[in-house]
Amino acid sequence: MENEKLLKVIEAAKLYYLLDYNQSDIAKELGVSRPTVSRLLQLAKEEGVVQIKIIDPTEDVQNLSVRLEQKFNLKKAIVTQIPQYEDHVIKTYLGEVSANYLHEIVNDGDVIGVTWGTTLYHTAVELKQKAVKDVKVVQLKGGVSHSETNTYMNEILYLFGKAYNTAPHHLPLPAIVDHVVVKQAMEADRHIKRILELGKEANIALFTIGPIKSHSLLFQLGYFTEEEIKGLRSKAVGDICSRFFDSNGVIYNEQLNARTLGIELDELKKKEHSILVAGGAAKIEGIYGALKGRYANVLVTDQYTAKFLLDK
C-alpha cells in the first residue's frame, strides 16, 4: 500500500476507534465520501493497522467459578466482575449477586439463617420480594454490644423479613460474653433456646468473614481484652459468626469460642446451602481458612479474590 493511502487509513482508524468519530464526521474531516471512509476502515482491519480483541468477562468468571468448585469441593461458586479492588465496591457488587442467588433458591418453608455486618447489609438492601410461604428468617449470632458501632443487624433482619413476607426472629444477646456460666444461663432461657434451635434447623445460612483488623466491625464492639486481641492477631485468620479459626479452618482459642453465643461452625457444614459472601485483600486468608474447614458449600466472591484463592 502506498504511503499516502496508508496514512489516510491510519488517520481514519484513529478518528473512528480512538476518538469515537462517526463515519460522516470522518468524511468531512478527511474531505472524502462516506463510502470511502468505510473502505478505509475495512483496509485498516485487513492490513493489521486495527486489531480487534473481544474480552468476554463472563467467560473468565465462569472459568474461575469452575476452578474454585473443583479446588474447594464446593456445591457452587459465584464469581462476579468488579471494576475496582476496593472494599466498598466489592461489597456493593457481592451484595447484588448474593441477593440474586437467594432469589433463585429460596422456596416455601425454608429457614434462612443470617448474620450481621456491612457485607450482609449490602445483600439485604438488594433483596427482591418473592412470593413464598412459611419462610422463616433467624439471626445466627448475637450482636448486642456496649459500643455505638452499627452492626446493621436490625436492618438486615427487617429487609430479609420484608423480602420473604415473614417476621424475623431476633437473637437479643451479645456475640461474646465474659464468662461461660453467663452464656450457659442465657442459653437456658426457653425463648433464647428456641431461637438457637431454629438457627440449627436453617437449611440456608448466609454469612461473611470478619478479618483480623482493628477496623473490623467485631473488633470495634468492645468484646475483647488486649491480650485476646494480641492472640487473635498472631494466630487467627478470620471469624465466621464471631468464632475464630486458623489458616486450616481449626477453631482458635477454645476458651473464647466457649464464651461465644450463636451457631457453632460445625453446624454450618450440615446446611443445604451454606453461603459465604466475601471478597477483598483483607479477607483472602480468612476465606481460604473457612473453605479449608469446609464451613461453606457456596462461595460468592469477586474475580481478584478468586484468583488469589486459586493461586494459594
Side-chain angles (χ1 to χ4, degrees):
M1 188 188 297
E2 56 190 60
N3 197 47
E4 190 179 338
K5 191 169 186 180
L6 179 60
L7 289 172
K8 215 154 213 174
V9 167
I10 293 169
E11 194 172 355
K14 284 181 176 178
L15 289 169
Y16 189 75
Y17 290 104
L18 297 180
L19 299 177
D20 288 330
Y21 277 48
N22 61 40
Q23 292 190 19
S24 297
D25 291 336
I26 296 170
K28 289 175 189 173
E29 184 78 18
L30 300 183
V32 297
S33 67
R34 195 174 178 283
T36 299
V37 172
S38 185
R39 283 195 297 273
L40 290 172
L41 293 174
Q42 184 61 36
L43 275 170
K45 285 191 276 187
E46 289 172 3
E47 297 295 324
V49 172
V50 170
Q51 296 179 351
I52 296 173
K53 183 181 178 184
I54 297 173
I55 300 168
D56 181 358
T58 59
E59 185 180 347
D60 186 38
V61 296
Q62 284 168 0
N63 177 257
L64 291 172
S65 298
V66 170
R67 289 170 62 198
L68 284 170
E69 288 165 4
Q70 292 171 343
K71 179 171 182 175
F72 296 105
N73 195 26
L74 296 167
K75 178 186 286 188
K76 190 173 184 66
I78 303 169
V79 179
T80 185
Q81 285 277 355
I82 58 167
Q84 294 169 278
Y85 202 44
E86 295 178 9
D87 279 350
H88 69 283
V89 176
I90 295 167
K91 289 173 182 178
T92 300
Y93 277 76
L94 295 189
E96 183 178 359
V97 174
S98 52
N100 290 339
Y101 180 62
L102 283 170
H103 194 73
E104 287 177 26
I105 66 168
V106 172
N107 293 307
D108 294 351
D110 281 342
V111 180
I112 308 167
V114 296
T115 59
W116 42 257
T118 50
T119 302
L120 292 199
Y121 176 68
H122 281 280
T123 299
V125 166
E126 295 293 337
L127 289 173
K128 304 181 193 79
Q129 286 195 291
K130 187 170 183 180
V132 284
K133 297 176 183 176
D134 303 320
V135 168
K136 293 175 183 173
V137 173
V138 61
Q139 182 178 338
L140 290 178
K141 68 169 181 174
V144 177
S145 76
H146 302 297
S147 167
E148 293 180 5
T149 304
N150 189 1
T151 64
Y152 297 97
M153 191 69 253
N154 291 331
E155 294 93 328
I156 291 166
L157 287 171
Y158 168 76
L159 290 167
F160 267 82
K162 184 181 175 185
Y164 303 116
N165 192 33
T166 186
H169 297 265
H170 292 252
L171 186 61
L173 300 172
I176 300 167
V177 291
D178 288 338
H179 303 285
V180 176
V181 288
V182 175
K183 174 189 167 181
Q184 291 168 342
M186 288 175 170
E187 289 180 336
D189 179 86
R190 61 190 174 93
H191 301 293
I192 298 299
K193 193 173 183 179
R194 182 171 58 86
I195 294 167
L196 291 171
E197 285 300 319
L198 190 60
K200 288 182 184 179
E201 292 168 19
N203 62 310
I204 300 172
L206 189 75
F207 51 91
T208 189
I209 294 284
I212 309 299
K213 301 285 181 184
S214 56
H215 63 265
S216 173
L217 196 51
L218 189 59
F219 280 74
Q220 295 180 45
L221 299 178
Y223 289 132
F224 308 114
T225 64
E226 283 300 318
E227 189 178 342
E228 285 169 342
I229 290 172
K230 189 177 177 182
L232 289 169
R233 283 178 175 161
S234 66
K235 299 284 178 65
V237 295
D239 84 273
I240 293 173
C241 298
S242 305
R243 298 184 185 275
F244 291 87
F245 50 86
D246 64 19
S247 57
N248 290 311
V250 177
I251 287 289
Y252 164 76
N253 193 331
E254 286 292 349
Q255 291 182 329
L256 180 60
N257 193 56
R259 290 165 28 215
T260 303
L261 285 147
I263 196 163
E264 297 275 355
L265 293 191
D266 280 344
E267 290 292 329
L268 296 176
K269 299 178 183 180
K270 304 173 187 176
K271 305 299 183 193
E272 180 185 0
H273 304 282
S274 186
I275 308 165
L276 170 57
V277 184
K283 295 190 177 186
I284 292 166
E285 297 297 328
I287 297 168
Y288 190 82
L291 295 178
K292 288 264 286 186
R294 304 292 175 107
Y295 299 129
N297 56 31
V298 177
L299 173 65
V300 181
T301 194
D302 62 87
Q303 82 270 29
Y304 299 112
T305 302
K307 287 171 184 173
F308 283 121
L309 291 170
L310 289 167
D311 288 343
K312 279 180 71 65

